[in-house]
Amino acid sequence: MAPVKVTKICCIGAGYVGGPTCAVIALKCPHITVTIVDLNQARVDAWNSPDFALPIYEPGLEEVVRKARGRNLFFSTNVDKAIEEADLIFVSVNTPTKKSGVGAGFAADLNYVELATRRIATVATSSKIVVEKSTVPCRTAESMRTILEANSKPNCRFDILSNPEFLAEGTAISDLFSPDRVLIGSLQSQEGIDACESLKQVYSNWVPQERILTVGLWSSELSKLAANAMLAQRISSINALSAICEATGANIDEVSHAIGYDSRIGPKFLKASVGFGGSCFQKDILNLVYLSESLHLPEVAAYWRQVVEMNEYQKRRFSKRVVDTLFNTITGKRIAVLGFAFKADTGDTRESAAITLIKDFQSEKALVNVYDPQVSADQIWLDLQEASPLSSLENIQKQVHICGSALEACKNAEAVVIATEWKEFNNIDWEAVYAGMNKPAFVFDGRLLVDAEKLRKIGFTVTTIGRPSSVL
């Protein structure tokens, strides 16, 4: 046996992971043909659009696709053809948290992973390297291998690798260009090590050798969950301290700055906010909770569950602070929510704090204006309907209005809530905003974004997360 020289790659799934990752591989490896496939025709059409109106907003992504598309990067719905021709197949499908059945609310739903695996086994007539790219629970590769081996054709061999992504939305392209590490997990058999070397050679086209880590298959799967859980834990920790700061008169910015100087801790992921969101943190922690419970480790499960509970508490605490500050009622009052994406520089809204805040404001019978520079109106309505399944879209639209600019959203509002840290919110003409608002005019900064003192001089009453309501 020897490592296979990879000349054709297929990626099943054209979402937030598969699309950017394989687009960068195509850019950096012009000698490799990369085909990204998806059953969603509209998504594939968007990737192929003449004006490059891509289905994902990510800084730098359009430039990558412009350079590689049509050269050695292709997007298609012809899944079977791409599987058959590929030497190496990335499985990069969605793995949402289960909504029903065993493990509902905690375990990952692996239906799409299984469907993709079965499709590979059915279609492939030659040996393939199959790479887990989706975030999956530990030992998923074992299930994939069982399915592939049970359904494979004669003389058709499958080697399974784990290659988790560690991308941060908003900086995904720079993360891919210069990753902290590329992690590849394999079975420690000769065949597994050879398959690992084949993928390593792909990344070696631009990633330094010392940043490509090769480990066992199960260690790789667990490392992804562990990394996201540890990062989320830091956010929940600083958010817990922000509540103490508000009660004692301390300033969370000063506290986080001070503790970040400790070389054992470091400054990253110590910025307080209204709460973390995105497709990974909460899902992966809940996955870790479920894994711990399955292994009969209830204390471990309870430990990690608290990270998610702290995050939910932070959202509830922030929306309650809005109500308390607006004289204990927001019924009939107009609240401008600036930002709907879970973080800046992405159009992703999964687990966004804004969804929870708006739902809370709706329950208090407030009127809500929403503006986000990248999230479409269709996506906002979809998320709000999912958050309030007992309310019709018509009823939601009686309380919520989507605006085309921040200035429009703030007009005639009692309060402005900053839910996403878009840079443009720091550059708003706040004097014009103040002139168009009802008085007293309130600003609630859930992202430590604006210059509170500057806004107070204009006339706003400013409440900033992690700081006391009265400036000491």
Side-chain angles (χ1 to χ4, degrees), residues 301-417:
Y303 176 83
W304 288 112
R305 185 184 285 110
Q306 187 57 37
V307 174
V308 175
E309 290 177 357
M310 182 64 228
N311 193 53
E312 293 305 308
Y313 166 71
Q314 184 78 343
K315 297 175 191 176
R316 293 194 309 271
R317 196 174 67 81
F318 188 73
S319 57
K320 182 178 184 299
R321 201 173 181 199
V322 173
V323 176
D324 291 347
T325 305
L326 267 65
F327 316 112
N328 298 312
T329 180
I330 57 173
T331 300
K333 294 178 180 177
R334 189 167 297 280
I335 311 293
V337 175
L338 300 186
F340 196 85
F342 85 90
K343 64 182 286 190
D345 293 324
T346 180
D348 195 351
T349 62
R350 287 174 287 184
E351 305 297 341
S352 170
I355 299 171
T356 302
L357 295 177
I358 293 170
K359 183 180 178 183
D360 288 349
F361 296 155
Q362 286 176 274
S363 69
E364 294 284 342
K365 298 182 171 56
L367 304 172
V368 183
N369 286 353
V370 186
Y371 167 69
D372 190 284
Q374 284 297 331
V375 181
S376 69
D378 287 345
Q379 186 63 51
I380 292 174
W381 294 132
L382 188 68
D383 288 330
L384 294 182
Q385 275 188 284
E386 190 173 309
S388 302
L390 300 180
S391 296
S392 66
L393 178 58
E394 185 181 2
N395 283 335
I396 292 171
Q397 290 175 336
K398 288 177 182 177
Q399 283 185 268
V400 180
H401 177 65
I402 299 174
C403 301
S405 70
L407 204 58
E408 180 190 343
C410 297
K411 190 171 180 59
N412 297 322
E414 253 85 12
V416 177
V417 172

Side-chain angles (χ1 to χ4, degrees), residues 95-110 137 283 286-291 294:
T95 53
T97 302
K98 289 183 71 174
K99 293 184 177 180
S100 60
V102 176
F106 293 89
D109 185 344
L110 299 179
K283 180 183 76 171
L286 293 175
N287 208 323
L288 205 53
V289 170
Y290 184 69
L291 174 65
S294 301

Side-chain angles (χ1 to χ4, degrees), residues 106-327:
F106 293 89
D109 185 344
L110 299 179
N111 180 50
Y112 297 121
V113 172
E114 182 173 337
L115 288 173
T117 305
R118 289 186 179 279
R119 189 75 170 260
I120 293 168
T122 300
V123 172
T125 57
S126 59
S127 297
K128 311 287 181 187
I129 298 171
V130 180
V131 184
E132 286 178 339
K133 198 67 184 172
S134 304
T135 301
V136 292
C138 290
R139 310 292 293 198
T140 298
E142 192 168 32
S143 303
M144 293 175 69
R145 188 172 62 149
T146 300
I147 292 170
L148 290 168
E149 289 180 352
N151 295 280
S152 64
K153 296 177 177 62
N155 302 316
C156 190
R157 173 184 176 79
F158 297 100
D159 289 297
I160 308 290
L161 299 177
S162 167
N163 177 218
E165 53 83 19
F166 295 99
L167 306 178
E169 289 184 39
T171 60
I173 300 303
S174 58
D175 292 343
L176 287 162
F177 280 179
S178 183
D180 290 339
R181 79 292 203 193
V182 171
L183 187 64
I184 305 174
S186 67
L187 292 175
Q188 297 305 291
S189 61
Q190 188 57 55
E191 293 85 356
I193 292 169
D194 287 342
C196 179
E197 182 61 30
S198 295
L199 182 55
K200 184 177 178 180
Q201 288 175 7
V202 173
Y203 284 113
S204 294
N205 283 280
W206 79 97
V207 180
Q209 290 284 339
E210 63 271 15
R211 293 193 183 183
I212 303 177
L213 311 181
T214 57
V215 299
L217 199 52
W218 321 127
S219 295
S220 177
E221 289 180 333
L222 183 57
S223 292
K224 168 63 176 178
L225 298 182
N228 280 344
M230 295 284 278
L231 292 172
Q233 178 196 54
R234 285 172 67 94
I235 297 172
S236 281
S237 295
I238 203 69
N239 283 343
L241 289 168
S242 76
I244 297 174
C245 286
E246 291 167 23
T248 61
N251 182 320
I252 193 61
D253 265 347
E254 294 173 347
V255 172
S256 62
H257 184 66
I259 63 178
Y261 263 86
D262 189 321
S263 60
R264 298 165 299 175
I265 298 172
K268 294 184 177 180
F269 282 79
L270 287 181
K271 186 172 182 180
S273 72
V274 69
F276 62 73
S279 62
C280 292
F281 283 178
Q282 179 162 312
K283 180 183 76 171
D284 289 355
I285 296 168
L286 293 175
N287 208 323
L288 205 53
V289 170
Y290 184 69
L291 174 65
S292 302
E293 289 178 338
S294 301
L295 297 171
H296 309 293
L297 302 169
E299 293 82 3
V300 177
Y303 176 83
W304 288 112
R305 185 184 285 110
Q306 187 57 37
V307 174
V308 175
E309 290 177 357
M310 182 64 228
N311 193 53
E312 293 305 308
Y313 166 71
Q314 184 78 343
K315 297 175 191 176
R316 293 194 309 271
R317 196 174 67 81
F318 188 73
S319 57
K320 182 178 184 299
R321 201 173 181 199
V322 173
V323 176
D324 291 347
T325 305
L326 267 65
F327 316 112

Side-chain angles (χ1 to χ4, degrees), residues 47-58:
W47 280 110
N48 285 323
S49 61
D51 60 350
F52 291 87
L54 305 182
I56 294 169
Y57 174 74
E58 191 66 43

